[in-house]
Amino acid sequence: MKKPSLICLVAGLALLPFAGCKQQAGNAIKIGEFASLTGKEATFGTMSHNGTLLAIEEANAAGGALGKKLLLLTEDDQSKQGEPSTVVKKLISSDGVVAMLGEVASSRSMEAAPICQQNKVPMISPSSTNVRLTEIGDYIFRVCFTDEFQGKLLATFARKSLKASNLAILTDTKSDYSVGLSRDFRAPFTAGGGKIVAEQTYNGGDKDFKGQLTAIKAANPEAVLITGYYTDVALMVRQGRQLGIQVPFFGGDGWESSKLIEIGGPDVEGTFFSTHFSPEETTPAVQNFVKKFQDKYNQTPDAMAALGYDSAMVLIEAMKRASTTDGPKLRDTIAATKDHDGITGKITLDAQRNASKPAVILTVKNGKFKFVELVKPE
Amino acid sequence: MTEFLQQLINGLALGSIYALIALGYTMVYGVLRFINFAHGDVFMLGAFSGLYLTRALSHALPSQSLRLAISVLLLSMAICAVLGILIERLAYRPLRDKPKLSVLITAIGVSLLIEYVGQHPSVFTPSPHTFPTLLPNRNFQIGAGTSALVINSTEIIVLAITAFLLLVLQFIVHRTKLGTAMRAVSFNASAAALMGININVVISFTFGLGSALAAAAGILYAAKYPSIDPLMGVMPGLKAFVAAVLGGIGNIPGAAMGGLVLGVVETFMGGSSFSNYRDAVAFAILILILLFKPSGLLGKSEVEKV
Amino acid sequence: MKRLNPKLLLVIAIVACFGLSFVAHSRLINAYYLDIILGIGINIILAVSLNLINGYTGQFSLGHAGFVAVGAYTAASLTTFGGPSFLAAFGGAKETVGVPALFLSALLAGGIVAAIAGFGVGVPSLRLKGDYLAIVTLGFGEIIRVIFQNIEAVGRSSGLKGIAPYTTFFWTFAWVVITIFTVLTLVHSTYGRGFLAVHDDEVAASAMGINTTRYKVTAFVVGSFFAGIAGGLYAHLKTFIAPAGFDFMMSIEIVTIVILGGMGNTPGVIAAAILLTLLPQGLRIIAGTEIGGHSLRWVAELRMIIYAALIILIMLTRPQGLFAIHGLKPRQSRS
């Protein structure tokens, strides 16, 4: 067989990382991004990346920042544990980026954050909602709300709008997002006098939930909270309705995707979920963004894309305000972000470096998402 | 009591799908003494071919009609039968005389290859696709009020088709010449060859039949859980393997029984407070059976001859 | 020619690692390259340890990631929860004496607990062969993962963060040397004959009076001990671990290295580990470059497809592995 040449080819590939191929940038500002472009969570990662890229290109078209063009260096972490720390080290040590954008999944963000913190490189996560992320250090920021905030608002929504005081919760034990959101919902809900009559768990990727749903039906809740992702939620709601569960289903931003309606069909009518933004919002900024995104990528943007866009914009605006890309000064300026006009709302970074901004509650009506209410942070 | 009965119905519906996939595993094992790791992925390909066939045929045949559903089912079974035969020809046959370990590893390789090609952006992509409704969905209630039991029309169809295919399989294996040849090869391959049986044809036929069953299972699964993605076959494949072992690998009614038992146990676990460990249950059952009764519930002990 | 005393070689190698460590952690090598180098070391330990189970003893284990997880979580829990009070006892000598003592103890604890898990997996699996063993070990790997997913103390599915970054070049490669030494010594001893006998024909071996149980369990225990060590090193390199990362895919990646290197061929497996650690990084560079305005990212997207195809091709054409110099000869089958 052509064994020797195969080995040479593979060996050549293997030695590439050491060839010192530094990204030649000339006179540009290098911004690093790590995202899941392949692997299990590629759909979320690519959406987020597309939004970020759109923002960078827009900024460059308007002249860049500090008189230089912006160069986005993106690395794929393959949705795998262990990869984010490697690629972030590459971006910081080999490529010399001045700031980091990423990631969607809290676990992967938390893996990379200590490295950014240690190297004094500001990191802005577009959509990691786990509370513990920004606790890692003062160089770590996020432009989305935390699960603590989302849990609280869902608890209020359940009590006030759904008028439900007896609830069932379904949690995806495989997902740290789901476990966290359920936990952050339970506390304010029970503190406000609510009662959890049934709690069941499932594994993300499962298809059959009739076991859990039958147990829930027997407990007679007034509403059912599912803190997981749309892929499983759609099937769950269908099966729940099939079993005869008539009460409202609701959940968090993991529900948001057009596939929810596609897979769920008529069964998801009348369900509710909280999320970061609604592509229906009639503000010119949102409509503009939606149109530009559709023109460039031929798909409708979702919350991941919008947050990816906002994370980049917050960074660029801070750069301009700071007039420098120096780590500590840039960090201070990012921390002072106030009322930044984002696609996902007015972004103010609070003392814990989380975004203090409203969330929207959407429902499904006539096969489309419909805006229900805006929930402001206290 | 209602809850118990409802869970029982749920479990049987889930179990019948495991049973269908397990039939394919057990048949191939019976004839070849080898576990086709890629079986779960043929199941997935069956579901996807059902998706694309429905799209292609919905111009010619009225949607949600019986004719469309049956055509899609039969055509997918045919496509996957061919695929199964191809895989056997290209990846397993060259290794027939080599150590068992080699073909096991190759099977893993084939499984991974199908999964990763499926996940590629230009093929199916990793995101789930919606499987179209082939037959209208209706809920039937037995009893009334809060103690009513619900069963879905799709679940009834799944149970019916599984039972039907099981009978067809039993007929093929026990009443046809090819089936007898299959059984001969599973007892003693070299003796069968000496008696004039064309081993290659029998093996190809076995793979084809097993893959067709997997495809049928894929479509029924997709009809029940209309969200399909390239990795959908991994867990059901593993669980069906457990079911096949539970019933006695190589034993066709055993595979069916194993599937039903596993489905019921899993469903009850899912509804209990131990639902966290639902996935682990299948493996725990596997380990227990292999420890205490390795030939399975319906199998006979095989003495290893040297 | 005088044969070098292996034990002397071992000591020399460890001292060399100590010396090289200063170079590795100096300014000469940036953090990214260091990360890759340490990754290579960890993968070598994983592959060589799995090779003992799969390659030499012929027990096809698909659950190695489970042992890695056990080692990782044990070591990380000890340093994270027990570390501060342990180190406080050292006072001023915290850095020089305290940390190494802590880390070594944590690693060893991780290895031992993983070895116990290996024992727990090995014993029930005794009667199983080939396919059954593969699935059962896969099942054990999954069960271990599910267990960690449900332990509140280590963060359940959110994982354990803030693990102290104790892994250095010295620690990693000292253990690489120890692992290779141990495995090779075992293999070239009576135990090694035992492993090979079990691998070739279990029935004949036990008919000859060889205690196949002892050899199989030994292979599992030793293999999982080193997997646990690798897990501890991994945890203190990445500083963050979560149950989802120790899944079936990790086991498959280690198995791929062993297959590529040649089962039962330690030098081949080491070479394969180096190659397969560097390959994704090399592909990363390719993916980031452009030729004539077209991005080459599609090459990276094909990575796993290439891996899978490689497994099939190797099994069909060169089952002794890519680097076989004197690996195990493929067995003749009997009808």
Side-chain angles (χ1 to χ4, degrees), chain A residues 39-40 42-43 173-174 199-203 205-212 214-218 220 230-231 235 238-239 241-244 259 262-264, chain B residues 3 6-7 10 14 119 126-130 137 139 146 148 150 152 155 221 223-229 231-232 239 267 270-273 275-276 278-279:
Chain A
K40 281 183 291 198
T43 23
T173 40
K174 237 176 164 178
E199 269 218 65
Q200 292 293 331
T201 57
Y202 64 95
N203 278 311
D206 275 355
K207 297 285 199 306
D208 191 283
F209 309 98
K210 289 242 169 116
Q212 290 91 328
T214 305
I216 286 182
K217 181 176 170 201
N220 233 341
Y230 65 89
T231 35
L235 290 175
R238 275 180 72 120
Q239 290 170 16
R241 297 273 182 246
Q242 273 174 18
L243 283 172
K259 292 243 188 238
E262 225 184 277
I263 300 175
Chain B
E3 194 182 334
Q6 182 66 64
Q7 296 284 39
N10 298 340
L14 175 64
Q119 284 179 76
S127 4
H129 298 250
T130 318
N137 234 325
N139 289 316
T146 45
V150 184
N152 190 266
E155 289 172 341
Y221 191 83
K224 207 165 165 332
Y225 313 112
S227 166
I228 62 177
D229 64 272
L231 293 178
M232 67 185 270
K239 296 200 178 148
T267 306
S272 73
S273 45
S275 49
N276 273 349
R278 208 179 85 148
D279 267 357

Side-chain angles (χ1 to χ4, degrees), chain B residues 14-228:
Chain B
L14 175 64
S16 53
I17 299 198
Y18 287 154
L20 213 47
I21 310 176
L23 287 175
Y25 267 122
T26 223
M27 267 176 39
V28 169
Y29 189 86
V31 170
L32 278 175
R33 293 283 179 280
F34 132 80
I35 292 166
N36 183 8
F37 254 94
H39 195 65
D41 301 290
V42 174
F43 160 89
M44 177 269 290
L45 289 174
F48 272 94
S49 45
L51 173 70
Y52 291 114
L53 278 171
T54 311
R55 285 189 195 159
L57 289 179
S58 51
H59 303 294
L61 293 167
S63 70
Q64 297 214 358
S65 69
L66 199 59
R67 268 168 44 210
L68 178 65
I70 294 187
S71 319
V72 168
L73 184 63
L74 290 176
L75 276 171
S76 301
M77 287 171 76
I79 293 177
C80 287
V82 170
L83 247 128
I85 296 178
L86 260 173
I87 294 177
E88 194 274 322
R89 216 36 201 77
L90 295 172
Y92 303 151
R93 187 176 296 188
L95 296 173
R96 220 176 275 166
D97 296 323
K98 297 272 173 60
K100 270 296 161 55
L101 216 50
S102 307
V103 76
L104 175 66
I105 297 173
T106 311
I108 296 179
V110 171
S111 169
L112 289 174
L113 185 67
I114 298 178
E115 283 163 20
Y116 283 115
V117 168
Q119 284 179 76
H120 193 267
S122 55
V123 185
F124 304 139
T125 82
S127 4
H129 298 250
T130 318
F131 194 79
T133 323
L134 285 176
L135 286 174
N137 234 325
R138 269 213 303 266
N139 289 316
F140 296 107
Q141 278 199 348
I142 310 169
T146 45
S147 54
L149 296 175
V150 184
I151 186 163
N152 190 266
S153 58
T154 313
E155 289 172 341
I156 299 178
I157 294 176
V158 167
L159 278 161
I161 295 190
T162 306
F164 177 71
L165 285 173
L166 184 60
L167 289 171
V168 169
L169 192 61
Q170 281 288 76
F171 178 80
I172 293 180
V173 168
H174 289 283
R175 298 292 174 88
T176 66
K177 250 171 89 179
L178 212 39
T180 316
M182 270 171 63
R183 281 184 292 140
V185 173
S186 78
F187 279 135
N188 191 328
S190 25
L194 289 172
M195 302 285 266
I197 293 178
N198 186 336
I199 305 280
N200 285 340
V201 167
V202 169
I203 293 182
S204 292
F205 176 74
T206 311
F207 261 92
L209 192 53
S211 306
L213 287 174
I219 298 213
L220 291 173
Y221 191 83
K224 207 165 165 332
Y225 313 112
S227 166
I228 62 177

Side-chain angles (χ1 to χ4, degrees), chain A residues 37-67:
Chain A
L37 299 177
T38 55
K40 281 183 291 198
E41 283 160 45
T43 23
F44 298 122
T46 28
M47 268 299 194
S48 179
H49 167 67
N50 287 348
T52 307
L53 190 56
L54 185 64
I56 300 280
E57 287 177 356
E58 244 182 64
N60 275 338
L66 311 179

Side-chain angles (χ1 to χ4, degrees), chain A residues 140-306:
Chain A
I140 316 298
F141 302 86
R142 72 175 115 215
V143 291
C144 55
F145 47 64
T146 60
D147 283 328
E148 222 179 275
F149 171 65
Q150 202 177 186
K152 244 187 274 182
L153 82 90
L154 283 173
T156 315
F157 177 74
R159 273 197 330 269
K160 299 230 178 80
S161 309
L162 293 180
K163 307 238 193 303
S165 36
N166 295 331
L167 270 200
I169 305 185
L170 265 166
T171 309
D172 177 350
T173 40
K174 237 176 164 178
S175 154
D176 55 327
Y177 156 75
S178 178
V179 170
L181 185 55
S182 292
R183 191 181 45 227
D184 290 327
F185 170 88
R186 215 176 287 128
F189 184 71
T190 44
K195 207 162 97 75
I196 317 268
V197 296
E199 269 218 65
Q200 292 293 331
T201 57
Y202 64 95
N203 278 311
D206 275 355
K207 297 285 199 306
D208 191 283
F209 309 98
K210 289 242 169 116
Q212 290 91 328
L213 289 165
T214 305
I216 286 182
K217 181 176 170 201
N220 233 341
E222 290 166 350
V224 181
L225 171 69
I226 311 178
T227 53
Y229 291 104
Y230 65 89
T231 35
D232 311 312
V233 170
L235 290 175
M236 259 184 271
V237 175
R238 275 180 72 120
Q239 290 170 16
R241 297 273 182 246
Q242 273 174 18
L243 283 172
I245 300 182
Q246 308 289 7
V247 296
F249 283 90
F250 68 112
D253 61 327
W255 283 45
E256 202 219 336
S257 165
S258 52
K259 292 243 188 238
L260 180 76
I261 303 180
E262 225 184 277
I263 300 175
D267 289 321
V268 290
E269 288 281 320
T271 54
F272 301 91
F273 61 95
S274 56
T275 183
H276 312 265
F277 110 117
S278 163
E280 279 185 345
E281 264 177 71
T282 46
T283 54
V286 174
Q287 288 309 311
N288 221 344
F289 167 72
V290 173
K291 182 168 181 324
K292 273 187 286 200
F293 195 92
Q294 268 171 334
D295 288 341
K296 188 169 154 76
Y297 298 110
N298 218 355
Q299 31 172 213
T300 321
D302 62 5
M304 300 294 140

